[in-house]
Amino acid sequence: MARTDQLPRAGRLEVVATPIGNLGDLSARAREVLAAADLIAAEDTRRTAQLLSAIGVSGRLVSLHEHNEEARVEPLLQQLRDGKLIALVSDAGTPLLSDPGFALVRAAAAAGIEVRAVPGASAITAALSIAGVATDRFAFEGFLPARAAERRALLARLAVETRTLVLFEAPHRIAATLADLAQSFGEQRAAVVTRELTKMHESVYRGTLGQLAAMARADADLARGEITLVIAGASVEPALGGDTGLLMRALQLLLAELPPARAAAIAAQLAGVKRSEAYELAMRLQRR
């Protein structure tokens, strides 16, 4: 029987948050983990190499991005089984939040490998912290679809979401997205556009969706750099009785297949509201 001290030691996967802009936001613990890692799995090895150089750390890098993650998982798992310490990083911020790494973390956890978080910067929480919009409940939707039709279809479903919404958007699409948001959510919905958070040209634009859409058309700077949007949630309709949340969800699904009157009749029964109230909401949803 093998002695316990001769058994191979399992490795560990460290999920490391890196700065979203300002290098001063890298924690001392994150630097220690990156310096100690046997291998650093990075979304873009060139970008991570620049970060390591800036903080005076050298490390062995391997790419892990959306196009190769599935193929990389098993070799990385084997290294973890062999006792290696692997650090997982994305280009900026916290891995897995609209970035690669989920497949590796899931597989490592399933294999009984220890997975630790080294928390730090995230554009999501950074934007929420300064937006001045309710933060007690929020939903992160990542990047909206690039195609206009798909984007508008998703926004029609999100229009009745009562939680604060956080979105990422590419600079070249921000004007079109704000216009679609104003059309789907209503021009008076409060929102904030944050740009280049923690960087030299950090900017915060506040207003209604209608005002922000107009700003995007007039101000070329708004369409530069990395953008995070924070949008106030939809107001809950106080006049409706029954289960308002269920009514909204049911109508969202039923309106995709049925005419408004039929969808409202079914949804009203499910949610315990008057058919006239359900029909009024169904017509509002269809207009968005």
Side-chain angles (χ1 to χ4, degrees):
M1 181 174 178
R3 288 170 47 191
T4 303
D5 60 2
Q6 292 177 332
L7 294 174
R9 179 178 61 85
R12 188 170 70 248
L13 178 63
E14 301 268 6
V15 183
V16 183
T18 56
I20 58 176
N22 193 317
L23 287 179
D25 293 334
L26 184 74
S27 71
R29 182 177 166 216
R31 188 189 182 284
E32 290 172 3
V33 169
L34 292 173
D38 297 299
L39 183 66
I40 300 172
E43 183 178 6
D44 184 333
T45 55
R46 294 165 301 179
R47 191 158 175 174
T48 301
Q50 292 173 350
L51 169 65
L52 296 180
S53 176
I55 63 174
V57 168
S58 59
R60 181 182 161 212
L61 293 165
V62 62
S63 65
L64 182 80
H65 49 70
E66 61 178 329
H67 302 297
N68 73 356
E69 184 171 2
E70 293 296 335
R72 287 274 197 251
V73 166
E74 189 52 44
L76 290 172
L77 274 183
Q78 188 55 54
Q79 298 218 41
L80 289 166
R81 294 187 189 102
D82 292 342
K84 302 296 184 183
L85 172 63
I86 297 179
L88 170 66
V89 300
S90 59
D91 285 351
T94 302
L96 278 72
L97 302 182
S98 227
D99 284 327
F102 171 69
L104 177 59
V105 169
R106 178 178 58 182
I113 302 294
E114 183 179 9
V115 182
R116 288 185 181 175
V118 183
S122 166
I124 300 165
T125 52
L128 281 166
S129 71
I130 63 173
V133 177
T135 57
D136 52 335
R137 296 173 67 243
F138 68 91
F140 173 58
E141 288 289 328
F143 285 93
L144 294 174
R147 294 184 178 180
E150 295 175 8
R151 182 169 65 245
R152 290 166 187 162
L154 175 58
L155 291 179
R157 296 195 295 273
L158 293 176
V160 293
E161 172 60 67
T162 57
R163 292 173 294 179
T164 294
L165 290 171
V166 184
L167 309 172
F168 290 159
E169 191 50 280
H172 66 278
R173 288 198 300 267
I174 186 61
T177 293
L178 284 169
D180 287 345
L181 281 163
Q183 168 116 30
S184 297
F185 290 16
E187 293 192 354
Q188 297 308 309
R189 182 84 69 92
V192 176
V193 175
T194 66
R195 185 179 71 83
E196 293 289 85
L197 285 171
T198 79
K199 301 177 185 176
M200 182 182 297
H201 299 293
E202 175 178 319
S203 303
V204 180
Y205 301 81
R206 306 174 190 273
T208 65
L209 286 171
Q211 290 168 339
L212 291 169
M215 288 182 205
R217 292 192 297 269
D219 185 354
D221 284 340
L222 194 150
R224 292 193 174 101
E226 296 183 349
I227 294 170
T228 305
L229 293 89
V230 180
I231 306 159
S235 299
V236 177
E237 295 288 340
L240 293 173
D243 190 333
T244 305
L246 175 59
L247 175 63
M248 290 181 174
R249 291 192 297 274
L251 283 173
Q252 287 172 337
L253 294 171
L254 292 168
L255 285 170
E257 305 293 338
L258 299 171
R262 183 62 181 149
I266 297 172
Q269 292 182 38
L270 290 171
V273 304
K274 293 180 181 178
R275 184 182 298 192
S276 60
E277 293 173 337
Y279 182 73
E280 181 183 346
L281 180 57
M283 293 306 294
R284 278 211 310 277
L285 291 175
Q286 274 223 321
R287 288 194 294 268
R288 285 173 169 167

